[in-house]
Amino acid sequence: MTGIRLFNTRTRTKEDFVPIDPANVRMYVCGPTVYDRAHLGNARPVVVFDTLFRLLRHVFGADHVTYVRNFTDVDDKINDKAAQTGRPIRDITDETIGWYHADMDALGALRPTHEPRATDYIAQMIAMNETLIQRGHAYAAEGHVLFDVRSFPDYGRLSGRSVDDMIAGARVEVAPFKRDPMDFVLWKPSSDDHPGWDSPWGKGRPGWHIECSAMSFDLLGPAFDIHAGGIDLQFPHHENEIAQSCCAHPGSGFARYWLHNEMLQVEGKKMSKSLGNFFTVRDLLEQGYPGEVIRFVQLSTHYSRPMDWTAAKAEQAEATLRKWRDLIAGVEPSVPSASVVAALADDLNTAGAIAELHRLASEGDRAGLAGSAALLGLLEPSLGAWAEIAGPDAAVSDLIAQLLAARAEARVAKDFARADKLRDGFAAAGVVVKDTAAGAEWTLAPGFDADKLKGLL
């Protein structure tokens, strides 16, 4: 059996992955809060840990891996959207979950084994809160239930900070009912215009952190193998999950291996609406970027490093995938190459695995390329429609050839204004022109618009 090694954030070392039960390997990944479209950064953990899911299924067998990713469908952002739009909360969350599924399906992500909604596990959350109170790790105050951080000596181990350091260096909510500034909310009261459930502490709703602890316990048990998510969740969300889960179930240890993916940038800058470089997955899909191309770019950087989305990377990824798809046309995939499996087994080295795919392609191992790429969720038939329909028809090819000839004539005549107009027209239409010693070569970029070429003759 292939040995897998993973970098465990909690121990800060790369460790051999030894599942608690090889017949039931269990993984939990924190999912989205469903109030709006998933942005490009939200897609990174989906793609990364979908690839880990595929690797685990390959090594241990598809029937021996359980993958849980939740939906947070009770949250103040959802409440705010309901208030702004006048729509029922359930309509908003159902619609958003549908969007999420469509967008992640487009990226080639497999559906997890279970996708629990937080609102279906309120009873389990209340029961866990009661257990924490009984064990002296939580307390009720003014309709709230709060976790007593000082009652868990290991608090801060995941993020590598002491409680006192965190208080000194972080903004924390100070409320009169808290015993300690770092204590966090497990349950809070709800007003009449907010969703709420009956509880021993009055009508209320859960705090964010208790959701994942209750759902993972119900679906995976008190101890499971892997807990994963974005690095932005390491503190406070994952730190709080560990505290409340270990205190509710002493001796369980909760999750044994913690994996965190780094953040995403766009053209070298942090993605933000203020910079105008904020993209949802749907934005990119509607701009003509195939989901498979988005996936390839995401996997081209190791998950532990910041990933930079650029138009140049997407263009190169599309060209590579188109070439590979042409190469494997009509080929029956073989089992994945041992070198690709070894790269993924080495702390999910997707960049190394892609390098191995390039090697297989260069050596003409068409069956090996097809089978190995599938392990990364690439070159699968379900994702290939874009490559089949994106090529130009004869009329478009003839038009581009005429325009390239016109550009060459303008250059010879030193009519630089005309040559520049044609160059800019190609760019606006989505035609990528590359001048070589053998002449001009061209490809079509995502979002190609033939109509923008017609006025250039």
Side-chain angles (χ1 to χ4, degrees), residues 15 45 56 110 179 215 235 246 248 329 335 370 381-382 391 408 450:
E15 303 177 6
L56 294 171
L110 301 173
R179 294 178 183 172
M215 288 186 280
F235 182 86
C246 288
V335 296
S382 61

PDB file of all heavy atoms in Angstrom, residues 15 45 56 110 179 215 235 246 248 329 335 370 381-382 391 408 450:
ATOM      1  N   GLU A  15       4.226  14.027   8.821  1.00  0.00           N
ATOM      2  CA  GLU A  15       4.070  12.746   9.502  1.00  0.00           C
ATOM      3  C   GLU A  15       3.546  11.676   8.551  1.00  0.00           C
ATOM      4  O   GLU A  15       2.839  11.973   7.586  1.00  0.00           O
ATOM      5  CB  GLU A  15       3.080  12.885  10.670  1.00  0.00           C
ATOM      6  CG  GLU A  15       3.465  13.944  11.698  1.00  0.00           C
ATOM      7  CD  GLU A  15       2.404  14.086  12.777  1.00  0.00           C
ATOM      8  OE1 GLU A  15       1.438  13.295  12.780  1.00  0.00           O
ATOM      9  OE2 GLU A  15       2.533  15.000  13.610  1.00  0.00           O
ATOM     10  N   PRO A  45      -9.765  25.508  -1.009  1.00  0.00           N
ATOM     11  CA  PRO A  45      -9.843  24.302  -0.181  1.00  0.00           C
ATOM     12  C   PRO A  45     -10.703  23.209  -0.807  1.00  0.00           C
ATOM     13  O   PRO A  45     -10.446  22.018  -0.596  1.00  0.00           O
ATOM     14  CB  PRO A  45     -10.437  24.801   1.140  1.00  0.00           C
ATOM     15  CG  PRO A  45     -11.090  26.107   0.812  1.00  0.00           C
ATOM     16  CD  PRO A  45     -10.282  26.690  -0.305  1.00  0.00           C
ATOM     17  N   LEU A  56      -6.958   9.449  -1.180  1.00  0.00           N
ATOM     18  CA  LEU A  56      -7.352   8.501  -0.138  1.00  0.00           C
ATOM     19  C   LEU A  56      -8.200   7.365  -0.719  1.00  0.00           C
ATOM     20  O   LEU A  56      -8.022   6.193  -0.353  1.00  0.00           O
ATOM     21  CB  LEU A  56      -8.116   9.227   0.964  1.00  0.00           C
ATOM     22  CG  LEU A  56      -7.324  10.253   1.786  1.00  0.00           C
ATOM     23  CD1 LEU A  56      -8.252  11.043   2.698  1.00  0.00           C
ATOM     24  CD2 LEU A  56      -6.230   9.578   2.613  1.00  0.00           C
ATOM     25  N   LEU A 110     -15.584  16.270  -6.596  1.00  0.00           N
ATOM     26  CA  LEU A 110     -16.527  15.227  -6.232  1.00  0.00           C
ATOM     27  C   LEU A 110     -17.395  15.689  -5.071  1.00  0.00           C
ATOM     28  O   LEU A 110     -16.945  16.459  -4.211  1.00  0.00           O
ATOM     29  CB  LEU A 110     -15.774  13.957  -5.821  1.00  0.00           C
ATOM     30  CG  LEU A 110     -14.838  13.332  -6.863  1.00  0.00           C
ATOM     31  CD1 LEU A 110     -14.045  12.191  -6.232  1.00  0.00           C
ATOM     32  CD2 LEU A 110     -15.612  12.859  -8.083  1.00  0.00           C
ATOM     33  N   ARG A 179     -16.661  35.720  31.683  1.00  0.00           N
ATOM     34  CA  ARG A 179     -15.707  35.607  32.796  1.00  0.00           C
ATOM     35  C   ARG A 179     -14.300  36.004  32.371  1.00  0.00           C
ATOM     36  O   ARG A 179     -13.509  36.471  33.180  1.00  0.00           O
ATOM     37  CB  ARG A 179     -15.694  34.158  33.304  1.00  0.00           C
ATOM     38  CG  ARG A 179     -16.993  33.702  33.942  1.00  0.00           C
ATOM     39  CD  ARG A 179     -16.875  32.241  34.355  1.00  0.00           C
ATOM     40  NE  ARG A 179     -18.126  31.732  34.916  1.00  0.00           N
ATOM     41  CZ  ARG A 179     -18.355  30.454  35.225  1.00  0.00           C
ATOM     42  NH1 ARG A 179     -17.384  29.565  35.012  1.00  0.00           N
ATOM     43  NH2 ARG A 179     -19.509  30.082  35.718  1.00  0.00           N
ATOM     44  N   MET A 215     -21.474  18.398  14.345  1.00  0.00           N
ATOM     45  CA  MET A 215     -21.692  17.627  13.116  1.00  0.00           C
ATOM     46  C   MET A 215     -20.615  16.568  12.911  1.00  0.00           C
ATOM     47  O   MET A 215     -20.915  15.438  12.497  1.00  0.00           O
ATOM     48  CB  MET A 215     -21.775  18.582  11.919  1.00  0.00           C
ATOM     49  CG  MET A 215     -23.063  19.394  11.894  1.00  0.00           C
ATOM     50  SD  MET A 215     -23.285  20.420  10.407  1.00  0.00           S
ATOM     51  CE  MET A 215     -22.233  21.813  10.808  1.00  0.00           C
ATOM     52  N   PHE A 235      -7.276  29.995  13.477  1.00  0.00           N
ATOM     53  CA  PHE A 235      -7.706  30.688  14.691  1.00  0.00           C
ATOM     54  C   PHE A 235      -8.705  31.766  14.304  1.00  0.00           C
ATOM     55  O   PHE A 235      -8.475  32.494  13.349  1.00  0.00           O
ATOM     56  CB  PHE A 235      -6.514  31.324  15.422  1.00  0.00           C
ATOM     57  CG  PHE A 235      -6.923  32.001  16.702  1.00  0.00           C
ATOM     58  CD1 PHE A 235      -7.010  31.263  17.876  1.00  0.00           C
ATOM     59  CD2 PHE A 235      -7.257  33.338  16.728  1.00  0.00           C
ATOM     60  CE1 PHE A 235      -7.426  31.863  19.049  1.00  0.00           C
ATOM     61  CE2 PHE A 235      -7.676  33.950  17.900  1.00  0.00           C
ATOM     62  CZ  PHE A 235      -7.755  33.213  19.058  1.00  0.00           C
ATOM     63  N   CYS A 246     -12.593  18.314  22.532  1.00  0.00           N
ATOM     64  CA  CYS A 246     -11.787  17.536  23.471  1.00  0.00           C
ATOM     65  C   CYS A 246     -12.365  17.576  24.876  1.00  0.00           C
ATOM     66  O   CYS A 246     -12.272  16.597  25.629  1.00  0.00           O
ATOM     67  CB  CYS A 246     -10.346  18.048  23.477  1.00  0.00           C
ATOM     68  SG  CYS A 246      -9.428  17.635  21.978  1.00  0.00           S
ATOM     69  N   ALA A 248     -15.633  18.014  25.568  1.00  0.00           N
ATOM     70  CA  ALA A 248     -16.900  17.272  25.570  1.00  0.00           C
ATOM     71  C   ALA A 248     -16.662  15.768  25.538  1.00  0.00           C
ATOM     72  O   ALA A 248     -17.474  14.994  26.064  1.00  0.00           O
ATOM     73  CB  ALA A 248     -17.750  17.694  24.372  1.00  0.00           C
ATOM     74  N   ALA A 329      -7.098  11.570 -26.885  1.00  0.00           N
ATOM     75  CA  ALA A 329      -8.364  11.304 -27.562  1.00  0.00           C
ATOM     76  C   ALA A 329      -8.439   9.837 -27.984  1.00  0.00           C
ATOM     77  O   ALA A 329      -7.534   9.310 -28.637  1.00  0.00           O
ATOM     78  CB  ALA A 329      -8.508  12.207 -28.778  1.00  0.00           C
ATOM     79  N   VAL A 335      -3.973   2.619 -15.136  1.00  0.00           N
ATOM     80  CA  VAL A 335      -3.887   2.988 -13.729  1.00  0.00           C
ATOM     81  C   VAL A 335      -2.946   4.191 -13.602  1.00  0.00           C
ATOM     82  O   VAL A 335      -2.068   4.396 -14.447  1.00  0.00           O
ATOM     83  CB  VAL A 335      -3.354   1.821 -12.878  1.00  0.00           C
ATOM     84  CG1 VAL A 335      -4.322   0.659 -12.923  1.00  0.00           C
ATOM     85  CG2 VAL A 335      -1.967   1.397 -13.343  1.00  0.00           C
ATOM     86  N   ALA A 370      -3.731   9.882 -19.196  1.00  0.00           N
ATOM     87  CA  ALA A 370      -5.173   9.930 -18.938  1.00  0.00           C
ATOM     88  C   ALA A 370      -5.510   9.414 -17.549  1.00  0.00           C
ATOM     89  O   ALA A 370      -6.280  10.038 -16.803  1.00  0.00           O
ATOM     90  CB  ALA A 370      -5.917   9.131 -20.002  1.00  0.00           C
ATOM     91  N   PRO A 381     -13.765  13.047 -18.920  1.00  0.00           N
ATOM     92  CA  PRO A 381     -14.729  13.360 -19.984  1.00  0.00           C
ATOM     93  C   PRO A 381     -15.782  14.383 -19.569  1.00  0.00           C
ATOM     94  O   PRO A 381     -16.195  15.215 -20.379  1.00  0.00           O
ATOM     95  CB  PRO A 381     -15.366  11.988 -20.283  1.00  0.00           C
ATOM     96  CG  PRO A 381     -14.311  11.001 -19.896  1.00  0.00           C
ATOM     97  CD  PRO A 381     -13.620  11.599 -18.704  1.00  0.00           C
ATOM     98  N   SER A 382     -16.199  14.331 -18.321  1.00  0.00           N
ATOM     99  CA  SER A 382     -17.258  15.242 -17.866  1.00  0.00           C
ATOM    100  C   SER A 382     -16.837  16.698 -17.886  1.00  0.00           C
ATOM    101  O   SER A 382     -17.687  17.595 -17.844  1.00  0.00           O
ATOM    102  CB  SER A 382     -17.695  14.854 -16.447  1.00  0.00           C
ATOM    103  OG  SER A 382     -16.601  14.951 -15.541  1.00  0.00           O
ATOM    104  N   GLY A 391     -12.901  25.445 -30.372  1.00  0.00           N
ATOM    105  CA  GLY A 391     -12.135  25.696 -31.579  1.00  0.00           C
ATOM    106  C   GLY A 391     -12.906  26.543 -32.579  1.00  0.00           C
ATOM    107  O   GLY A 391     -14.139  26.470 -32.654  1.00  0.00           O
ATOM    108  N   ALA A 408       0.619  42.142 -41.307  1.00  0.00           N
ATOM    109  CA  ALA A 408       1.952  42.006 -41.892  1.00  0.00           C
ATOM    110  C   ALA A 408       2.190  43.061 -42.970  1.00  0.00           C
ATOM    111  O   ALA A 408       3.274  43.668 -43.048  1.00  0.00           O
ATOM    112  CB  ALA A 408       2.119  40.600 -42.476  1.00  0.00           C
ATOM    113  N   ALA A 450     -15.966  36.622 -31.783  1.00  0.00           N
ATOM    114  CA  ALA A 450     -15.699  36.782 -33.217  1.00  0.00           C
ATOM    115  C   ALA A 450     -16.239  38.100 -33.750  1.00  0.00           C
ATOM    116  O   ALA A 450     -15.682  38.675 -34.699  1.00  0.00           O
ATOM    117  CB  ALA A 450     -16.274  35.596 -33.973  1.00  0.00           C
TER     118      ALA A 450
END
